[in-house]
mmCIF file of all heavy atoms in Angstrom:
data_model
loop_
_atom_site.group_PDB
_atom_site.id
_atom_site.type_symbol
_atom_site.label_atom_id
_atom_site.label_comp_id
_atom_site.label_asym_id
_atom_site.label_seq_id
_atom_site.Cartn_x
_atom_site.Cartn_y
_atom_site.Cartn_z
ATOM 1 N N GLN A 144 -15.766 -9.227 1.471
ATOM 2 C CA GLN A 144 -16.789 -8.287 1.527
ATOM 3 C C GLN A 144 -17.489 -8.131 0.083
ATOM 4 O O GLN A 144 -18.732 -7.938 0.014
ATOM 5 C CB GLN A 144 -16.239 -6.860 1.746
ATOM 6 C CG GLN A 144 -15.671 -6.848 3.267
ATOM 7 C CD GLN A 144 -15.038 -5.589 3.597
ATOM 8 O OE1 GLN A 144 -15.523 -4.479 3.306
ATOM 9 N NE2 GLN A 144 -13.964 -5.651 4.294
ATOM 10 N N VAL A 145 -16.731 -8.401 -1.004
ATOM 11 C CA VAL A 145 -17.336 -8.498 -2.336
ATOM 12 C C VAL A 145 -18.313 -9.702 -2.396
ATOM 13 O O VAL A 145 -19.459 -9.440 -2.964
ATOM 14 C CB VAL A 145 -16.301 -8.463 -3.455
ATOM 15 C CG1 VAL A 145 -17.016 -8.743 -4.818
ATOM 16 C CG2 VAL A 145 -15.599 -7.053 -3.492
ATOM 17 N N CYS A 146 -17.768 -10.821 -2.051
ATOM 18 C CA CYS A 146 -18.553 -11.944 -2.259
ATOM 19 C C CYS A 146 -19.910 -12.025 -1.254
ATOM 20 O O CYS A 146 -20.818 -12.624 -1.636
ATOM 21 C CB CYS A 146 -17.744 -13.131 -2.051
ATOM 22 S SG CYS A 146 -16.455 -13.303 -3.243
ATOM 23 N N SER A 147 -19.790 -11.273 -0.221
ATOM 24 C CA SER A 147 -20.954 -11.179 0.733
ATOM 25 C C SER A 147 -21.963 -10.099 0.268
ATOM 26 O O SER A 147 -23.029 -9.956 0.817
ATOM 27 C CB SER A 147 -20.496 -11.016 2.120
ATOM 28 O OG SER A 147 -20.038 -9.667 2.291
ATOM 29 N N GLY A 148 -21.483 -9.201 -0.746
ATOM 30 C CA GLY A 148 -22.350 -8.181 -1.194
ATOM 31 C C GLY A 148 -22.172 -6.871 -0.354
ATOM 32 O O GLY A 148 -22.899 -5.875 -0.718
ATOM 33 N N GLU A 149 -21.244 -6.791 0.606
ATOM 34 C CA GLU A 149 -20.958 -5.626 1.377
ATOM 35 C C GLU A 149 -20.361 -4.484 0.449
ATOM 36 O O GLU A 149 -20.704 -3.248 0.765
ATOM 37 C CB GLU A 149 -20.081 -5.868 2.583
ATOM 38 C CG GLU A 149 -20.631 -6.705 3.632
ATOM 39 C CD GLU A 149 -19.631 -6.990 4.681
ATOM 40 O OE1 GLU A 149 -19.126 -6.066 5.227
ATOM 41 O OE2 GLU A 149 -19.425 -8.182 4.973
ATOM 42 N N LEU A 150 -19.677 -4.881 -0.456
ATOM 43 C CA LEU A 150 -18.947 -3.966 -1.394
ATOM 44 C C LEU A 150 -19.162 -4.439 -2.824
ATOM 45 O O LEU A 150 -19.227 -5.563 -2.986
ATOM 46 C CB LEU A 150 -17.499 -3.988 -1.171
ATOM 47 C CG LEU A 150 -16.809 -3.335 0.124
ATOM 48 C CD1 LEU A 150 -15.344 -3.521 0.231
ATOM 49 C CD2 LEU A 150 -17.237 -1.772 0.287
ATOM 50 N N THR A 151 -19.107 -3.478 -3.702
ATOM 51 C CA THR A 151 -19.137 -3.951 -5.078
ATOM 52 C C THR A 151 -17.719 -4.234 -5.478
ATOM 53 O O THR A 151 -16.694 -3.805 -4.825
ATOM 54 C CB THR A 151 -19.716 -2.772 -6.071
ATOM 55 O OG1 THR A 151 -18.698 -1.662 -6.002
ATOM 56 C CG2 THR A 151 -21.072 -2.281 -5.664
ATOM 57 N N LEU A 152 -17.569 -4.898 -6.605
ATOM 58 C CA LEU A 152 -16.243 -5.233 -7.068
ATOM 59 C C LEU A 152 -15.344 -3.941 -7.309
ATOM 60 O O LEU A 152 -14.240 -3.828 -6.850
ATOM 61 C CB LEU A 152 -16.335 -6.064 -8.422
ATOM 62 C CG LEU A 152 -15.067 -6.480 -9.049
ATOM 63 C CD1 LEU A 152 -14.219 -7.271 -8.067
ATOM 64 C CD2 LEU A 152 -15.328 -7.232 -10.369
ATOM 65 N N ALA A 153 -16.048 -2.912 -7.932
ATOM 66 C CA ALA A 153 -15.330 -1.646 -8.224
ATOM 67 C C ALA A 153 -14.909 -1.010 -6.903
ATOM 68 O O ALA A 153 -13.849 -0.383 -6.906
ATOM 69 C CB ALA A 153 -16.306 -0.734 -9.027
ATOM 70 N N GLN A 154 -15.819 -0.983 -5.895
ATOM 71 C CA GLN A 154 -15.391 -0.380 -4.565
ATOM 72 C C GLN A 154 -14.180 -0.960 -4.103
ATOM 73 O O GLN A 154 -13.268 -0.324 -3.535
ATOM 74 C CB GLN A 154 -16.603 -0.403 -3.658
ATOM 75 C CG GLN A 154 -17.749 0.544 -4.075
ATOM 76 C CD GLN A 154 -19.003 0.216 -3.207
ATOM 77 O OE1 GLN A 154 -19.320 -0.900 -2.704
ATOM 78 N NE2 GLN A 154 -19.727 1.264 -2.896
ATOM 79 N N ALA A 155 -14.261 -2.303 -4.081
ATOM 80 C CA ALA A 155 -12.996 -2.913 -3.466
ATOM 81 C C ALA A 155 -11.719 -2.790 -4.168
ATOM 82 O O ALA A 155 -10.739 -2.606 -3.689
ATOM 83 C CB ALA A 155 -13.317 -4.596 -3.435
ATOM 84 N N GLN A 156 -11.993 -2.804 -5.594
ATOM 85 C CA GLN A 156 -10.672 -2.561 -6.382
ATOM 86 C C GLN A 156 -10.093 -1.098 -6.084
ATOM 87 O O GLN A 156 -8.989 -0.915 -5.970
ATOM 88 C CB GLN A 156 -11.071 -2.643 -7.902
ATOM 89 C CG GLN A 156 -11.320 -4.022 -8.314
ATOM 90 C CD GLN A 156 -11.998 -4.190 -9.665
ATOM 91 O OE1 GLN A 156 -12.561 -3.176 -10.166
ATOM 92 N NE2 GLN A 156 -11.924 -5.375 -10.304
ATOM 93 N N GLN A 157 -11.068 -0.153 -5.945
ATOM 94 C CA GLN A 157 -10.590 1.202 -5.587
ATOM 95 C C GLN A 157 -9.906 1.387 -4.288
ATOM 96 O O GLN A 157 -8.993 1.982 -4.108
ATOM 97 C CB GLN A 157 -11.794 2.205 -5.740
ATOM 98 C CG GLN A 157 -11.299 3.649 -5.487
ATOM 99 C CD GLN A 157 -10.174 4.155 -6.454
ATOM 100 O OE1 GLN A 157 -10.513 4.075 -7.628
ATOM 101 N NE2 GLN A 157 -9.097 4.609 -5.966
ATOM 102 N N ARG A 158 -10.403 0.595 -3.271
ATOM 103 C CA ARG A 158 -9.853 0.542 -1.934
ATOM 104 C C ARG A 158 -8.445 -0.090 -2.071
ATOM 105 O O ARG A 158 -7.442 0.479 -1.501
ATOM 106 C CB ARG A 158 -10.704 -0.203 -0.982
ATOM 107 C CG ARG A 158 -11.908 0.604 -0.623
ATOM 108 C CD ARG A 158 -12.742 -0.105 0.467
ATOM 109 N NE ARG A 158 -13.969 0.634 0.772
ATOM 110 C CZ ARG A 158 -14.791 0.215 1.697
ATOM 111 N NH1 ARG A 158 -14.487 -0.732 2.469
ATOM 112 N NH2 ARG A 158 -15.907 1.028 1.908
ATOM 113 N N GLU A 159 -8.291 -1.105 -2.807
ATOM 114 C CA GLU A 159 -6.989 -1.807 -2.864
ATOM 115 C C GLU A 159 -6.053 -0.947 -3.744
ATOM 116 O O GLU A 159 -4.926 -0.723 -3.178
ATOM 117 C CB GLU A 159 -7.256 -3.039 -3.677
ATOM 118 C CG GLU A 159 -5.886 -3.939 -3.732
ATOM 119 C CD GLU A 159 -6.063 -5.276 -4.240
ATOM 120 O OE1 GLU A 159 -6.911 -5.480 -5.189
ATOM 121 O OE2 GLU A 159 -5.303 -6.194 -3.855
ATOM 122 N N ASP A 160 -6.425 -0.213 -4.731
ATOM 123 C CA ASP A 160 -5.662 0.675 -5.497
ATOM 124 C C ASP A 160 -5.114 1.794 -4.525
ATOM 125 O O ASP A 160 -3.960 2.139 -4.460
ATOM 126 C CB ASP A 160 -6.389 1.264 -6.669
ATOM 127 C CG ASP A 160 -5.627 2.345 -7.428
ATOM 128 O OD1 ASP A 160 -5.636 3.528 -7.054
ATOM 129 O OD2 ASP A 160 -5.012 1.954 -8.465
ATOM 130 N N THR A 161 -6.054 2.354 -3.746
ATOM 131 C CA THR A 161 -5.610 3.486 -2.923
ATOM 132 C C THR A 161 -4.677 2.993 -1.778
ATOM 133 O O THR A 161 -3.687 3.624 -1.575
ATOM 134 C CB THR A 161 -6.936 4.061 -2.129
ATOM 135 O OG1 THR A 161 -7.714 4.641 -3.216
ATOM 136 C CG2 THR A 161 -6.553 5.151 -1.144
#
Side-chain angles (χ1 to χ4, degrees):
Q144 290 176 48
V145 169
C146 294
S147 72
E149 290 176 58
L150 291 175
T151 66
L152 181 60
Q154 289 169 326
Q156 290 167 340
Q157 184 57 57
R158 287 186 186 184
E159 186 173 34
D160 178 274
T161 301

